Amino acid sequence: MLQTFSALSISGASCSQIDVRLGLVETKKDNLPALKSYSLAFQFKHTEIQKNGRTKLGICCCSEQGPSKRRHFKKQEEPTQNVDLPPILPKRKKKPFPMPLKTILQNARNDRKLAHMGIEKTLEAPKNGILVPDLVPVAYELLNSWTILIKGVAQLLHVIPVHACSECSAVHVSKTGHDIQDCHGQTSSNRRGFHSWIKGSINDILIPIESYHLYDPFGPRIRHDTRFNYDRIPALVELCIQAGVELPEYPSRRRTDPIRMIGRKIIDRGGFLDEPKRQQTLNSSLMEFDTHRAFERFPAPNSEEEVPQIAEKTLKAYDKVKWGVSKLMNKMYTVKACGYCSEIHVGPWGHNAKLCGEFKHQWRDGKHGWQDATVDEVFPPNYVWHVRNPDGPPLKSTFKRFYGKAPAVVELCTQAGAKVPLKYKSMMRLDIVLPDGEEAFSVV
């Protein structure tokens, strides 16, 4: 719609009479979303208006209403100098659930509601026992990276010394043990909190987490009196086997028909099958996937020039293992962990072996308190103090807040010559300067 206002004459002009007319042009757009905000845009332009045979100069104003365009500016994240590690959970308390408790209770209510109505629960692979074809290569890559990681750590232990406390679980990667008074062993009060250092092993760098091997994860549960009928293997290996890796020594049932459930009850699992006889081989492939006696099986590097290359290769394998475990677990391959101890079970349900001896185990008759596991519980990082100068003096309790930490594998590889990954720099506090000289006496 065009609105023309009365002419505005300008007196005292040398030129011919100039009329300034203001025209408002309004355009409407239909079918605009109701939830979007709109802005009013104006545009002015000069036009020539014919009136009574005379040409006059006019000004036209056009307006258009449309959705406003908001500019979103990305906030630049400042690089942090230090990152605090996850807090150490108290032993006399249950671990927190990885999923909010309200979500767990709501899912349980929905399952009970469907079971009360007799509606079958919809299960997707691999929850229904069917393999996911896209994750089979991930499982093979994870197992391959795990063997490379074991070999690399075992070779680096011949060059880089590792110390472990005989009273607690502390580990230190350096030529000598540190002097930080944070030991919580049984006789730590006699040593004023100082650690009792001994020579460390590969199990101090890669904490062994084992699980029962099951031919059919959806079969009968492991009871306390039948626990010796099942072998204990590394949890990573059992996760890869259930994800599609074929090992002759440890077969696994591959289902073609999915299982069916109503609520928490299985109505069709395809029957029970007896476990086939295992193929006995002279050179068991499981030795490659276990850290037992790895220090003896893998010799030291041939020369000092190979040490940085082995360190870089080991560090890449460590990242691939962590990536593979998180991907398999995020794709719904169920892993259960005890909420009180470090027991891990790979499968839809935990076992019934009464082996838990942690906080208030008498109330549970020794049974584990199963809940969903996290990646750090299946593949623990095992944080250790970062040593900037291995040839320098040992770390002291006075400068404890200035020191950083890193996973034991990362610390071992960086001292062997590997480049420090960017994601661990803030954790290792490399940008913080240690006080020296007169400043060191003022640190409390």
Side-chain angles (χ1 to χ4, degrees), residues 212-214 220-224 226-227 230 345 350-353:
Y212 286 107
H213 169 66
L214 296 176
R221 299 180 69 173
I222 301 175
R223 299 190 304 272
H224 184 73
T226 61
R227 66 187 186 277
Y230 303 89
H345 184 79
H351 58 78
N352 287 334

Side-chain angles (χ1 to χ4, degrees), residues 250-270:
Y250 295 98
S252 180
R253 182 178 180 180
R254 307 305 181 189
R255 297 179 181 273
T256 56
D257 297 328
I259 65 171
R260 299 168 56 194
M261 296 182 62
I262 293 182
R264 301 180 61 181
K265 182 179 180 182
I266 299 179
I267 60 176
D268 184 12
R269 70 179 73 198

Side-chain angles (χ1 to χ4, degrees), residues 315-327:
L315 195 56
K316 291 180 180 178
Y318 175 78
D319 292 336
K320 284 187 178 181
V321 170
K322 193 171 183 179
W323 166 82
V325 173
S326 60
K327 190 167 185 179

Side-chain angles (χ1 to χ4, degrees), residues 148-168:
I148 296 175
L149 178 61
I150 293 176
K151 181 180 179 180
V153 172
Q155 289 181 322
L156 293 178
L157 286 178
H158 290 278
V159 182
I160 307 298
V162 175
H163 299 272
C165 182
S166 60
E167 297 290 336
C168 66

Side-chain angles (χ1 to χ4, degrees), residues 17-37:
Q17 187 179 6
I18 301 176
D19 291 343
V20 179
R21 298 177 183 271
L22 181 62
L24 180 62
V25 179
E26 182 181 358
T27 59
K28 296 182 179 180
K29 291 186 177 180
D30 299 332
N31 302 327
L32 294 177
L35 298 178
K36 290 186 178 180
S37 58

Side-chain angles (χ1 to χ4, degrees), residues 1 35 42 57 74 110 124 152 154 165 183 194 206 250 336 346 392 411:
M1 184 178 73
L35 298 178
F42 293 92
L57 181 63
K74 292 183 178 180
N110 296 336
E124 298 181 357
C165 182
C183 182
F194 289 100
L206 299 175
Y250 295 98
K336 296 295 181 180
V346 183
E411 179 67 18

